[in-house]
Amino acid sequence: MIESGQGKPSRKKPSKETKMKMTVKEVAMLTGVSVRTLHYYHREGILIPSEVTENRYRYYDTANLAQLQNILFLRELDFSIQEIKGILADPNYDEMDAFKKQRHLLLLKRCRLDKLIALLDQKLEGERTMNFKPFDMTEIEANKKQYETEVKERWGKTDAYRQSQQKANSYSPEQWEAIHTEAEAIYAGFVTKMAQDAADPEVQELVAEWQAHISRHYYDCSKEILSGLGLMYVHDDRFKENIDSRAEGLAQFMSDAIEIYTTN
């Protein structure tokens, strides 16, 4: 980030590259998730397509695919759709930590399957001894329960989590689309101002709009929370990739503008 007194940061012009667009059928073919399930995730507000045309055609981008992968990991751990809504909406969601936990659980499952296959091989070779140990799910269930507890303790006790989950559960698909459209309009506003200084009053007004958008639709976004989000926009690859998909350098520009806004 640019410290005060160091002059204006150089800004890259918005990328003119075409943004990736995939139809719902293409996403289904790529991921193995059925069209019906993708529609369900849209209705529930956990996977909003990057674009929905007047004819109701859905288009998905790279950020949508990353979100879908997160959803599938959480579903693999048996989190409900309502819980996933709150977890993914919370700004403190730690994607890398979630992946580490998921990997550990998958290794446990693989070990269990190897034991079951070995038991079947023994049966095919004529083994008559009754062995039920490979069927034991105790270790897997204990680790899954521990992860669920950690997630709920980490995010479930925050006011932001509770507010975001409560609001997320109340929105209809039409409301989610309106929220998405509003967010994209603010992003577009930032893109048009990227040639200006992050401290420009017009840019700072957009930061205020962004803060109000989060507070209105998700949770009370204080300057402290907003400052943390600004840091995540450049230090969390998930956020950076998503924001920069609109214009190269947008995440850094928004982060700089937020830093100025929250320190004044």
Side-chain angles (χ1 to χ4, degrees), residues 100-115:
K100 290 176 182 177
K101 296 292 196 308
Q102 177 67 19
R103 182 179 185 278
H104 179 65
L105 281 167
L106 288 175
L107 287 173
L108 290 176
K109 289 183 179 181
R110 185 175 72 179
C111 181
R112 178 174 178 270
L113 288 174
D114 286 342
K115 291 177 180 178

Side-chain angles (χ1 to χ4, degrees), residues 18-184:
T18 302
K19 186 177 180 181
M20 187 198 79
K21 291 172 60 172
M22 297 181 67
T23 66
V24 66
K25 289 184 178 180
E26 289 172 334
V27 173
M29 291 179 63
L30 175 67
T31 65
V33 178
S34 69
V35 170
R36 182 178 180 182
T37 298
L38 291 170
H39 286 176
Y40 171 62
Y41 288 165
H42 183 190
R43 288 197 306 272
E44 291 297 324
I46 61 173
L47 186 65
I48 306 297
S50 61
E51 179 183 349
V52 180
T53 67
E54 292 182 359
N55 295 328
R56 305 294 294 174
Y57 288 114
R58 298 168 170 87
Y59 291 99
Y60 298 80
D61 60 14
T62 53
N64 289 142
L65 294 181
Q67 180 83 331
L68 176 58
Q69 190 176 67
N70 285 329
I71 292 168
L72 296 178
F73 278 133
L74 290 168
R75 290 295 287 159
E76 187 69 23
L77 292 176
D78 297 324
F79 281 100
S80 70
I81 295 299
Q82 304 306 318
E83 289 171 326
I84 292 174
K85 283 183 183 181
I87 290 171
L88 296 181
D90 192 89
N92 295 315
Y93 175 65
D94 189 335
E95 186 179 56
M96 288 299 105
D97 183 65
F99 288 164
K100 290 176 182 177
K101 296 292 196 308
Q102 177 67 19
R103 182 179 185 278
H104 179 65
L105 281 167
L106 288 175
L107 287 173
L108 290 176
K109 289 183 179 181
R110 185 175 72 179
C111 181
R112 178 174 178 270
L113 288 174
D114 286 342
K115 291 177 180 178
L116 287 171
I117 292 170
L119 179 60
L120 284 173
D121 289 340
Q122 292 172 11
K123 291 296 181 183
L124 290 171
E125 292 173 0
E127 175 65 49
R128 298 298 180 186
T129 303
M130 293 293 104
N131 182 8
F132 292 93
K133 190 172 182 180
F135 294 96
D136 189 1
M137 288 283 292
T138 303
E139 186 177 9
I140 293 176
E141 291 298 335
N143 277 269
K144 185 184 295 184
K145 188 66 175 178
Q146 180 182 357
Y147 177 53
E148 291 175 356
T149 301
E150 288 177 3
V151 169
K152 291 175 182 177
E153 285 182 349
R154 181 176 298 176
W155 296 295
K157 293 181 180 179
T158 65
D159 289 336
Y161 176 90
R162 285 191 290 268
Q163 288 184 43
S164 62
Q165 187 174 47
Q166 183 177 9
K167 289 186 176 183
N169 293 342
S170 68
Y171 293 142
S172 66
E174 291 75 19
Q175 288 174 313
W176 274 118
E177 287 184 21
I179 293 169
H180 177 76
T181 300
E182 181 181 299
E184 289 302 320

